Amino acid sequence: MPTPRVFVMRHGETEWSRTGQYTGKTDIPLTARGIEQVKETGRMVVGHGKLMDPSRIVKAFISPRQRAQMTFDLFTGECEGVEIEKDTTEDLREWEYGLYEGMLTKDIRAARKERGLDRTKEWDIWVDGCEEGETPKQVSDRLDDLISQIRDIQSPHMHDDKPADILLVAHGHILRGFVRRWLGYSLDFRLLLMLEPGGVGVLTYDHRSLEEPAVLVGLGFPLKEEVS
């Protein structure tokens, strides 16, 4: 009897993710390489007896940006014969970067220092947020709203065998923030996380308890006799 899971997937490569530019509201498509990243991830992890069984996914929450929408469509193309319910939500849009849209971290820090900011420490998005963009609290609040929705879906199925897995498709900063909030940490909690373009992470609960949200740092795969 599997514990409900939440799969967090970052969109495939874009021109700006390749160069490291902050991409919030700028709506750019996947590169050719990004498309292949997503397709290959789907081939490897989606299917009966694989990491992500589409028959157990009851809902997908997707960022409205086209790079996330393209990723979802390509990724779920591997889900033959199964249609996943899709909810496009602003809760999963990327951090609103404001003045920092399209910039690199080093350039943001240099520009802030030129304006007399950050004299005692370097700028950190998780602590300082973005000028004319979102604060950590604003981001945290919308992530908490989504987490509440997910737990409402999963809570009735913590001790039965009914499908209750959730898929999220979004962006690098917002998904790393989601993991922090899933675990109950503030966004400025020093938890270094990486999520590659086209990559998938897995969240769940320890002891089948809503009070013990967890990250799966080691995955077990079904035995052959269990999926035949």
Side-chain angles (χ1 to χ4, degrees):
M1 184 168 62
T3 303
R5 297 179 174 187
V6 177
F7 298 99
V8 295
M9 182 174 190
R10 185 182 177 189
H11 63 75
E13 180 192 80
T14 67
E15 288 295 342
W16 281 16
S17 70
R18 182 179 60 79
T19 57
Q21 292 168 266
Y22 281 45
T23 320
K25 64 183 179 181
T26 303
D27 210 6
I28 56 179
L30 304 182
T31 62
R33 184 172 186 271
I35 290 171
E36 290 307 310
Q37 285 174 329
V38 173
K39 287 182 176 179
E40 188 59 28
T41 299
R43 284 190 285 266
M44 293 182 68
V45 306
V46 176
H48 182 55
K50 294 185 178 181
L51 172 65
M52 192 182 301
D53 186 336
S55 69
R56 299 200 64 82
I57 299 175
V58 294
K59 196 164 191 176
F61 292 96
I62 318 296
S63 161
R65 302 294 180 250
Q66 67 166 308
R67 54 196 185 274
Q69 296 285 322
M70 289 176 67
T71 294
F72 174 79
D73 291 342
L74 290 165
F75 186 66
T76 55
E78 300 300 318
C79 304
E80 297 182 6
V82 178
E83 185 171 337
I84 297 174
E85 181 183 346
K86 173 183 172 182
D87 185 341
T88 297
T89 174
E90 290 287 337
D91 287 341
L92 274 179
R93 71 183 187 274
E94 184 55 295
W95 200 306
E96 295 284 350
Y97 296 128
L99 295 181
Y100 308 152
E101 185 79 8
M103 296 178 68
L104 303 176
T105 299
K106 64 180 181 66
D107 296 328
I108 295 169
R109 288 174 172 166
R112 286 174 62 94
K113 286 181 179 179
E114 285 180 3
R115 296 197 301 277
L117 302 173
D118 310 325
R119 292 180 179 179
T120 60
K121 64 175 184 61
E122 287 192 316
W123 171 78
D124 182 340
I125 190 172
W126 304 107
V127 176
D128 304 309
C130 300
E131 293 177 275
E132 297 186 18
E134 285 185 295
T135 66
K137 184 180 186 307
Q138 288 172 317
V139 173
S140 184
D141 285 348
R142 61 181 167 96
L143 290 175
D144 288 352
D145 286 344
L146 180 58
I147 289 170
S148 179
Q149 292 180 59
I150 291 170
R151 291 186 176 156
D152 284 346
I153 293 169
Q154 294 183 326
S155 61
H157 306 296
M158 300 304 289
H159 299 281
D160 63 35
D161 194 35
K162 293 182 180 178
D165 288 346
I166 299 290
L167 170 64
L168 309 183
V169 183
H171 315 272
H173 268 126
I174 204 66
L175 288 176
R176 283 179 284 162
F178 183 91
V179 174
R180 286 179 169 90
R181 293 306 299 146
W182 180 263
L183 296 173
Y185 299 136
S186 63
L187 292 192
D188 61 1
F189 182 80
R190 188 165 177 76
L191 181 65
L192 300 181
L193 301 167
M194 298 294 293
L195 186 56
E196 296 181 349
V200 176
V202 188
L203 307 175
T204 187
Y205 307 87
D206 198 15
H207 303 115
R208 300 183 180 278
S209 170
L210 288 173
E211 305 304 317
E212 300 180 74
V215 175
L216 271 173
V217 295
L219 300 173
F221 294 90
L223 302 176
K224 288 183 179 180
E225 58 265 29
E226 294 177 341
V227 299
S228 60

